[in-house]
């Protein structure tokens, strides 16, 4: 119940700063326009790239771009902010689990996007008879991505500033997640390696699932669960080690 | 003038000292810049493996565009990015007072307040990439290089002005984090050939927020002729927007209040 309140507080905060929300939508729109314009120019000569014609490429890019609203890097910097400000000490004496409260915060932060994206998501998923599996993949991926970010956030115990990491993730996500282009237009051996990376699972794999061109959903769910467990245990280990290094003054 | 040089010298020394304190941050910043660079190059290779031309640009011209856009960003980053990152926080947290009581021009003091030293390495790498990409280009001579450098410096100032105006919104609005990232999105969009965009986007990126001109036309100097009309337009745009940004800064300072 207490985690529900945390999520609700985040929703309220998001709704309070509506201007910020609007700017976020607008920035994504610019990003999407840029990618679509480039690929539109490539397809203008009427070529097809592997299995993609102009229409399917646009559908893929729009879905992967919309998905990137949900998979953002805020949880990666949460711990760093707490350590830097010394507020971690306060959090530690509270009867809450830091990992769970972070997940609740992230869920609350993304709740508005979930609501907005739910209807198109259901339409796409229903079109291809993968409704239940798609929903499960979607939820598991959300937790997996959060676990990855939470695990990486523990570097804050050893680094003074973690903000330079944000653009690193953006670059990695754009490339390995298949936001700039579908990963399956890459040479087959490269694609086989890249498709199982966590960024591809939340970007490329989910977009392919929603466009109905993915039949191994169950396998991807299993891989995602596996990653979630690995990242969770790594988070636990590194958080424990980091706490030994942490010094908080005052409460 | 002597005072300005002394101040710039002092800022550079302070920036170097900060770099030595935050070594790990500097290394990460450097890595991220290289990663962006790598992503752009990989994207270029993939696009051009399916098409020999993109909106009239061949692969070499496209790479010139990417390297030029990166070079402009790196120079902007070296001179202004740290100052801009701190400024909105200082405005919101009321820490601007320490600057306002000093006998210096607050606008320029903040503009040049810190240098991002690791960006110097990025500038060097991008320049080397540009030289490599144009190693067979026989059109490049001394006047082209001078013209190119002038355009790059003008472009850096254009990028600074847009960011400066956006940062000043913090004088009136409290939470502007997302807004501060907007110029970057526009700039990224402008680091693609302008010809890929529909007319109205091309117009916005050419004349309203002229990032499209500064990246596309600057890079074309190396392989084609730069439209002189655009250069004159950018000079005029920079002069007018500099005046406007100073006015906004002064109005913002009047609006600013702190309880220190």
């Amino acid at each position: 119940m207490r985690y529900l309140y945390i999520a609700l507080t985040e929703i309220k905060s998001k709704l309070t700063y509506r201007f910020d929300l609007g700017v976020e939508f607008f920035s994504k729109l610019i990003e999407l326009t840029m990618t679509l314009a480039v690929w539109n120019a490539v397809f203008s000569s009427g070529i097809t790239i592997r299995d993609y014609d102009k229409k399917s490429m646009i559908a893929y890019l729009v879905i992967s771009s919309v998905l990137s609203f949900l998979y953002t890097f805020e949880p990666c910097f949460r711990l760093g902010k707490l350590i830097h400000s010394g507020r971690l000490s306060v959090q530690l004496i509270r009867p809450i689990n830091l990992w769970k409260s972070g997940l609740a915060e992230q869920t609350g932060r993304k709740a508005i996007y979930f609501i907005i994206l739910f209807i198109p998501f259901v339409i796409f998923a229903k079109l291809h008879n993968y409704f239940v599996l798609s929903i499960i993949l979607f939820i598991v991926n959300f937790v997996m991505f959060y676990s990855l970010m939470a695990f990486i956030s523990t570097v804050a115990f050893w680094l003074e500033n973690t903000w330079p990491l944000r653009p690193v993730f953006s670059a990695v996500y754009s490339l390995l997640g298949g936001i700039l282009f579908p990963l399956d237009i890459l040479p087959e051996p490269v694609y086989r390696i890249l498709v199982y990376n966590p960024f591809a699972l939340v970007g490329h794999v989910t977009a392919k699932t929603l466009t109905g061109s993915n039949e191994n959903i169950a396998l991807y769910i299993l891989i995602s669960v596996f990653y979630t467990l690995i990242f969770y245990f790594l988070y636990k280990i590194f958080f424990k080690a980091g706490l030994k290094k942490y010094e908080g003054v005052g409460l | 003038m002597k005072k300005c040089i002394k101040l710039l010298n002092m800022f550079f020394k302070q920036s170097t000292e900060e770099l030595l304190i935050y070594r790990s941050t500097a290394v990460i910043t450097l890595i991220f810049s290289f990663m962006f660079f790598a992503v752009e190059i990989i994207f270029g290779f993939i696009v051009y493996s399916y098409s020999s031309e993109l909106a009239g640009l061949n692969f070499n011209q496209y790479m010139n565009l990417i390297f030029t856009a990166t070079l402009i960003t790196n120079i902007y980053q070296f001179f202004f990015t740290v100052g801009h990152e701190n400024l909105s926080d200082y405005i919101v947290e009321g820490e601007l007072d320490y600057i306002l009581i000093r006998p210096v021009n607050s606008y320029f003091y903040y503009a040049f307040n810190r240098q991002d030293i690791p960006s110097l390495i990025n500038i060097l790498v991008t320049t080397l990439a540009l030289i490599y990409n144009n190693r067979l280009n026989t059109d490049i001579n001394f006047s082209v290089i001078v013209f190119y450098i002038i355009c790059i410096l003008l472009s850096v100032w254009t990028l600074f002005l847009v960011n400066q105006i956006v940062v000043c919104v913090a004088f009136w609005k409290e939470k502007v984090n997302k807004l501060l990232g907007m110029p970057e999105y526009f700039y990224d969009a402008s680091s693609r050939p302008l010809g890929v965009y529909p007319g109205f986007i091309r117009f916005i990126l050419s004349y309203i927020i002229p990032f499209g001109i500064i990246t596309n036309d600057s890079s074309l100097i190396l392989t084609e002729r730069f439209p002189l009309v655009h250069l004159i337009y950018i000079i005029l745009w920079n002069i007018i927007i500099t005046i406007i940004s100073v006015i906004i800064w002064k109005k913002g300072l009047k609006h600013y209040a702190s309880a220190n």
Side-chain angles (χ1 to χ4, degrees):
Chain A
M1 193 66 185
R2 65 189 92 158
Y3 298 108
L4 182 67
Y5 284 123
I6 293 173
L8 287 175
T9 311
E10 276 303 317
I11 296 173
K12 274 184 198 165
S13 155
K14 205 79 187 166
L15 288 173
T16 308
Y17 296 108
R18 287 183 295 276
F19 176 72
D20 226 30
L21 198 68
V23 172
E24 196 177 347
F25 269 104
F26 189 60
S27 343
K28 282 280 170 199
L29 193 68
I30 298 174
E31 217 172 43
L32 178 63
T33 308
M34 177 182 86
T35 315
L36 286 181
V38 171
W39 284 109
N40 188 41
V42 173
F43 279 101
S44 59
S45 54
I47 56 161
T48 52
I49 298 175
R50 299 277 165 96
D51 298 332
Y52 294 91
D53 56 9
K54 192 172 170 180
K55 210 174 150 189
S56 56
M57 180 63 94
I58 288 174
Y60 172 88
L61 292 172
V62 170
I63 293 173
S64 62
S65 177
V66 166
L67 284 170
S68 67
F69 270 113
L70 299 171
Y71 303 108
T72 49
F73 312 115
E74 290 96 340
C76 192
F77 307 99
R78 179 175 175 254
L79 189 62
K81 279 181 196 161
L82 291 174
I83 293 170
H84 216 81
S85 62
R87 278 183 288 136
L88 181 63
S89 315
V90 182
Q91 295 287 329
L92 290 173
I93 56 167
R94 283 184 184 164
I96 52 165
N97 178 309
L98 218 58
W99 190 89
K100 286 182 192 167
S101 66
L103 181 59
E105 267 179 30
Q106 183 68 352
T107 311
R109 208 175 284 132
K110 299 296 163 193
I112 294 161
Y113 303 115
F114 275 126
I115 295 162
I116 295 169
L117 300 177
F118 188 71
I119 297 168
F121 180 86
V122 170
I123 293 169
F124 270 112
K126 273 208 162 176
L127 275 178
H128 308 295
N129 303 319
Y130 298 133
F131 185 65
V132 178
L133 280 178
S134 298
I135 296 272
I136 296 172
L137 177 70
F138 196 64
I139 295 168
V140 171
N141 273 348
F142 186 77
V143 181
M144 183 271 287
F145 198 74
Y146 167 75
S147 310
L148 171 63
M149 291 300 120
F151 157 54
I152 297 172
S153 74
T154 55
V155 297
F157 283 113
W158 292 274
L159 286 181
E160 288 93 354
N161 286 320
T162 49
W163 62 263
L165 288 171
R166 194 184 287 269
V168 176
F169 293 138
S170 295
V172 172
Y173 185 35
S174 300
L175 192 65
L176 301 183
I179 306 299
L180 288 173
F181 53 84
L183 294 178
D184 49 0
I185 67 168
L186 291 169
E188 188 68 20
V190 180
Y191 171 67
R192 277 179 189 280
I193 297 166
L194 289 185
V195 75
Y196 298 111
N197 86 73
F199 293 98
L201 287 176
V202 298
H204 176 79
V205 169
T206 314
K208 292 291 277 184
T209 305
L210 291 177
T211 50
S213 34
N214 191 0
E215 287 163 4
N216 299 322
I217 306 174
L219 171 71
Y220 291 121
I221 291 173
L222 278 178
I223 295 169
S224 197
V225 170
F226 174 72
Y227 272 134
T228 308
L229 294 173
I230 296 270
F231 294 143
Y232 178 73
F233 287 116
L234 284 173
Y235 166 83
K236 284 273 191 199
I237 293 165
F238 279 83
F239 188 80
K240 209 173 165 185
L243 268 187
K244 285 181 187 159
K245 203 174 177 292
Y246 172 70
E247 286 174 23
V249 181
L251 288 177
Chain B
M1 190 66 189
K2 208 175 166 188
K3 192 167 88 174
C4 290
I5 294 169
K6 258 187 168 180
L7 261 178
L8 278 175
N9 194 21
M10 186 57 71
F11 291 151
F12 192 78
K13 270 186 188 166
Q14 284 176 346
S15 304
T16 313
E17 280 164 16
E18 275 182 13
L19 166 82
L20 295 173
I21 295 168
Y22 295 113
R23 286 182 301 272
S24 50
T25 308
V27 171
I28 295 172
T29 315
L30 201 65
I31 292 170
F32 98 62
S33 304
F34 283 129
M35 284 190 75
F36 260 127
F37 203 39
V39 168
E40 290 293 351
I41 292 171
I42 293 169
F43 185 64
F45 270 109
I46 288 168
V47 167
Y48 277 91
S49 65
Y50 292 105
S51 172
S52 58
E53 268 200 355
L54 190 65
L57 297 192
N58 60 32
F59 182 71
N60 245 27
Q61 288 172 320
Y62 180 81
M63 281 300 156
N64 273 344
L65 168 62
I66 296 299
F67 296 150
T68 303
T70 313
L71 185 64
I72 295 167
T73 317
N74 289 337
I75 300 174
Y76 161 77
Q77 210 161 319
F78 172 70
F79 282 110
F80 306 114
T81 201
V82 182
H84 276 160
E85 265 161 24
N86 292 337
L87 188 57
S88 66
D89 288 341
Y90 287 166
I91 293 169
V92 173
E93 288 162 17
E95 285 184 41
L96 217 54
D97 306 23
Y98 306 109
I99 309 302
L100 300 176
I101 55 168
R102 289 169 204 225
V104 285
N105 181 320
S106 60
Y107 180 90
F108 287 106
Y109 182 92
Y110 244 101
F112 292 97
N113 162 283
R114 279 286 178 280
Q115 283 81 49
D116 183 51
I117 309 292
S119 293
L120 283 177
I121 298 172
N122 294 322
I123 293 171
L124 180 72
V125 171
T126 316
T127 310
L128 289 175
L130 258 170
I131 293 169
Y132 181 77
N133 198 46
N134 291 285
R135 67 195 183 283
L136 303 174
N137 188 346
T138 49
D139 295 333
I140 295 180
N141 52 38
F142 182 71
S143 62
V144 169
I145 294 170
V146 172
F147 200 30
Y148 183 75
I149 292 171
I150 291 169
C151 285
I152 292 290
L153 295 178
L154 276 171
S155 307
V156 173
W157 190 247
T158 309
L159 192 54
F160 161 79
L161 288 172
V162 175
N163 277 289
Q164 176 73 12
I165 289 173
V166 172
V167 170
C168 283
V169 176
F171 279 117
W172 290 274
K173 273 199 99 54
E174 221 178 273
K175 204 175 176 199
V176 288
N177 294 357
K178 292 277 190 311
L179 189 69
L180 295 183
M182 282 299 285
E184 200 181 318
Y185 284 101
F186 278 108
Y187 189 79
D188 284 348
S190 306
S191 60
R192 303 274 178 258
L194 266 187
V196 301
Y197 296 112
F200 78 98
I201 297 180
R202 266 207 312 268
F203 178 79
I204 293 171
L205 293 178
S206 297
Y207 301 109
I208 312 284
I209 308 167
F211 288 165
I213 294 185
I214 64 172
T215 52
N216 278 257
D217 289 358
S218 299
S219 72
L220 281 177
I221 295 172
L222 299 170
T223 48
E224 288 174 18
R225 293 180 86 191
F226 183 86
L228 205 63
V229 182
H230 279 174
L231 178 66
I232 295 166
Y233 180 77
I234 287 294
I235 293 172
L236 285 176
W237 191 93
N238 278 0
I239 292 170
I240 294 166
I241 302 299
T242 302
I243 295 166
I244 293 175
S245 83
V246 172
I247 293 170
I248 293 174
W249 174 258
K250 284 182 179 164
K251 287 216 179 268
L253 287 182
K254 276 186 188 161
H255 193 264
Y256 169 78
S258 85
N260 271 327

